[in-house]
Amino acid sequence: MKTQLSREYINDFLYFVIKPDENSTNGDLICCSGVNVDRFTPITRGRHNPMSNPAVRGLQLIQYDIMALALEHGTTAKTIRGYKGKGLPPTEELWSTASLLIKNAPPSLPDIILNHSVRELLKKIDLASTRGAALPDTLLSPRELQVFIESICSEYALLVA
């Protein structure tokens, strides 16, 4: 397995895991992602109808972003139904998850995907929730991002209560 292509960004709110496809010898990657619907509730509560949760919709839109990034880097990505990564999702709460197969990915693509996807997912959730939070300009570590999101959730939980 080509561990140099493996990347993990996991906390209690979201995850992106990119790893080589064990069934491929062509440099194919599996990209698993998810958002914790329960943990994002203080931010999204009252901001959507039951069929259009901002966290879930944000993850759906990020999947299209990843497909576009793959195309920009000379490869393709397609949705994989029913794929379960080991140990994912990381908690027993309600998660929305998605998986993509990225064909013959260049070595630079996993870092590009992570950097883009984590930051853009937060932006999409914030925009759809109409909260206008001041979001980080750079990619924080998974733990730092978790603390940041927890602080926003605490702030909005007090406003709603």
Side-chain angles (χ1 to χ4, degrees):
M1 181 161 83
K2 297 179 181 179
T3 56
Q4 69 269 19
L5 293 179
S6 296
R7 301 289 184 277
E8 289 189 352
Y9 192 99
I10 302 172
N11 63 36
D12 291 344
F13 285 87
L14 56 89
Y15 68 84
F16 288 89
V17 174
I18 303 167
K19 62 183 185 173
D21 179 3
E22 295 174 357
N23 299 321
S24 170
T25 58
N26 298 332
D28 296 349
L29 299 174
I30 303 287
C31 178
C32 301
S33 54
V35 292
N36 186 325
V37 177
D38 290 337
R39 295 274 176 131
F40 274 106
T41 296
I43 296 171
T44 62
R45 181 185 300 122
R47 301 294 180 170
H48 60 88
N49 66 49
M51 299 303 291
S52 180
N53 181 299
V56 174
R57 184 66 181 141
L59 182 64
Q60 292 168 340
L61 292 172
I62 288 300
Q63 297 305 297
Y64 294 120
D65 285 2
I66 294 170
M67 290 176 181
L69 286 169
L71 285 172
E72 286 175 20
H73 289 85
T75 187
T76 61
K78 68 176 185 173
T79 302
I80 305 171
R81 301 259 183 240
Y83 182 85
K84 283 288 211 183
K86 185 177 180 181
L88 298 175
T91 70
E92 295 296 321
E93 296 158 301
L94 177 61
W95 287 80
S96 176
T97 63
S99 298
L100 294 171
L101 173 65
I102 303 170
K103 303 295 279 179
N104 198 21
S108 61
L109 193 55
D111 288 326
I112 293 167
I113 289 171
L114 274 186
N115 188 45
H116 173 85
S117 298
V118 173
R119 292 182 315 119
E120 287 300 313
L121 176 59
L122 289 181
K123 288 179 186 177
K124 289 175 187 327
I125 293 170
D126 185 64
L127 182 64
S129 299
T130 63
R131 297 290 188 186
L135 302 174
D137 292 329
T138 60
L139 182 63
L140 303 176
S141 74
R143 179 70 188 133
E144 290 171 324
L145 185 64
Q146 179 165 322
V147 169
F148 174 79
I149 298 171
E150 286 170 343
S151 71
I152 292 174
C153 287
S154 294
E155 177 185 337
Y156 290 125
L158 293 175
L159 293 174
V160 174

